[in-house]
Amino acid sequence: MQNDPNHKGETLVEVSHLVKYFPVRAGLLQRVVNHLKAVDDISFIVKKGETLGLVGESGCGKTTVGRTMLRLVEPTSGAVKFDGQDVFSMPSRELKAVRRDMQIIFQDPYASLDPRVPIGESVMEGLQIHRIGTPRERREIMLDTLKKVGLEDYHARRYPHEFSGGQRQRIGIARALALRPRFIICDEPVSALDVSIQSQVLNILKDLQAEFGLTYLFIAHNLSVVEHVSDRVAVMYLGKMVELTTREELFRNPLHPYTQALMSAIPVPNPRLRKQRIILKGDVPSPLNPPKGCRFHPRCPWAIEICSQEEPQFKELLPDHWAACWVAEQKLQ
């Protein structure tokens, strides 16, 4: 992979030059008049047993990355390899087998559950599709999985509307976990929950990772949550990857101005400490017509002339610290 932000450790998932454009149609004949550039040429790896946090503001393409990796949305171009196998070139039968190892926890736990089906049957659905075990064994796996996420046997007979938001998210985790996958994409799994419930769900995810050796891609826009769960953190802006490094390095020394602005917005739990906020000017540009050069330059407080003319390359500016920024590159020369 060109400009491969590789690190020590065995790679489980490798994303190379991933692109996803959505066609925009107009007119009586519904002709394609433009493309929404949701994900525009990003590359990264996820190592076995780690949690890679993927952060950025709403609309930057985080969820599209996760869904395209699993081929829930077909890619425009690029490649995703899972344990050396190219996911995008697989025929449907092979893809079905690989999906047992690659699961997703959706952002909205209620929308992802069938309101007419008891949650026990929802959790067993994947086991039935992949023909795992006998009906009795599937029920035992389901009950065991519910217990691992803090639910009881009698909950299996209840319907989604009978649960709170936090309990529904636990059900979503149980559905992903029932197949005993190796890789789980967590698509903002706690963003809709109260803070007290968030910590419970995050602790469940960490405990399950330790027990089963799971690998996570954790998508979020809350940096405090990402700091709590991630080993490495990738930052996206308007369909592009702008920074990638270890959690400790990112929070100690953010290189990209966008990352610095996100960091400045994290509240400090001490009223005596005053934090200097970086207030970004203007609105996020449209992914239908992203600006020339660096996509962040119209809002960047430190933009220089080259920022509006040439797109910076995503490269290793410090050991194990990748960024795409002309200003950071000049400062480190």
Side-chain angles (χ1 to χ4, degrees):
M1 182 168 67
Q2 185 183 359
N3 289 333
D4 181 6
N6 215 330
H7 300 261
K8 294 177 182 176
E10 198 172 349
T11 300
L12 181 64
V13 182
E14 181 180 340
V15 177
S16 304
H17 304 294
L18 182 63
V19 175
K20 178 58 188 177
Y21 291 172
F22 292 97
V24 178
R25 301 178 185 275
L28 190 63
L29 300 176
Q30 289 293 290
R31 290 188 174 128
V32 176
V33 295
N34 204 344
H35 285 88
L36 189 148
K37 300 172 176 65
V39 180
D40 199 2
D41 192 10
I42 69 168
S43 301
F44 61 92
I45 66 164
V46 188
K47 298 183 292 182
K48 287 183 180 177
E50 80 162 346
T51 299
L52 175 66
L54 183 60
V55 301
E57 56 198 328
S58 297
C60 72
K62 308 183 300 294
T63 294
T64 305
V65 169
R67 294 185 176 221
T68 307
M69 286 171 67
L70 297 180
R71 271 180 71 181
L72 299 177
V73 175
E74 288 295 328
T76 301
S77 64
V80 171
K81 290 184 178 179
F82 176 77
D83 212 9
Q85 298 176 282
D86 188 349
V87 175
F88 293 167
S89 65
M90 284 179 180
S92 56
R93 182 172 293 183
E94 286 183 34
L95 181 62
K96 179 181 175 181
V98 167
R99 277 191 173 147
R100 180 178 172 180
D101 286 326
M102 301 174 72
Q103 290 290 304
I104 184 169
I105 300 168
F106 292 100
Q107 180 178 357
D108 185 346
Y110 192 66
S112 62
L113 293 169
D114 188 336
R116 300 165 298 178
V117 176
I119 64 107
E121 291 185 28
S122 289
V123 174
M124 286 192 291
E125 186 178 17
L127 300 170
Q128 292 165 349
I129 289 170
H130 290 276
R131 299 179 181 177
I132 297 170
T134 63
R136 173 180 249 175
E137 289 169 340
R138 288 197 284 267
R139 179 170 176 76
E140 287 175 359
I141 293 171
M142 178 268 292
L143 293 174
D144 179 58
T145 306
L146 288 179
K147 283 182 181 175
K148 289 189 184 302
V149 298
L151 297 173
E152 300 298 332
D153 291 3
Y154 61 84
H155 285 131
R157 298 186 295 276
R158 294 185 177 177
Y159 290 83
H161 73 272
E162 299 179 74
F163 294 92
S164 67
Q167 287 175 317
R168 286 184 203 137
Q169 197 56 279
R170 291 171 190 234
I171 296 163
I173 295 170
R175 289 184 74 191
L177 189 67
L179 291 166
R180 298 295 183 263
R182 296 160 61 196
F183 176 59
I184 299 179
I185 294 175
C186 306
D187 184 11
E188 303 204 29
V190 296
S191 62
L193 305 179
D194 294 337
V195 174
S196 59
I197 306 299
Q198 281 186 11
S199 60
Q200 293 175 18
V201 173
L202 292 174
N203 288 333
I204 287 171
L205 289 170
K206 291 188 83 170
D207 291 344
L208 293 172
Q209 183 175 37
E211 184 175 350
F212 295 106
L214 297 172
T215 303
Y216 292 143
L217 175 67
F218 194 95
I219 298 169
H221 58 256
N222 187 331
L223 277 167
S224 300
V225 170
V226 169
E227 185 180 17
H228 180 66
V229 300
S230 301
D231 298 300
R232 292 186 301 135
V233 182
V235 183
M236 279 187 72
Y237 181 79
L238 206 64
K240 288 280 189 182
M241 192 81 78
V242 297
E243 191 159 2
L244 171 61
T245 187
T246 61
R247 175 191 61 201
E248 296 85 359
E249 173 68 9
L250 189 82
F251 282 82
R252 184 184 64 82
N253 181 30
L255 295 180
H256 199 281
Y258 176 61
T259 312
Q260 293 168 11
L262 291 179
M263 296 289 183
S264 76
I266 300 174
V268 178
N270 186 339
R272 294 178 182 175
L273 290 177
R274 296 187 66 84
K275 202 171 189 180
Q276 185 171 356
R277 286 288 310 275
I278 300 172
I279 307 298
L280 298 177
K281 58 186 179 183
D283 296 321
V284 181
S286 170
L288 288 169
N289 187 26
K292 184 183 175 184
C294 174
R295 296 191 175 186
F296 185 61
H297 87 262
R299 304 175 72 198
C300 181
W302 300 288
I304 54 179
E305 187 177 353
I306 193 174
C307 298
S308 61
Q309 298 170 351
E310 290 184 44
E311 186 177 322
Q313 294 296 309
F314 188 60
K315 59 174 70 170
E316 192 173 21
L317 300 182
L318 292 171
D320 286 347
H321 197 152
W322 298 71
C325 179
W326 291 116
V327 176
E329 204 172 326
Q330 286 193 6
K331 283 182 180 177
L332 293 170
Q333 281 178 352

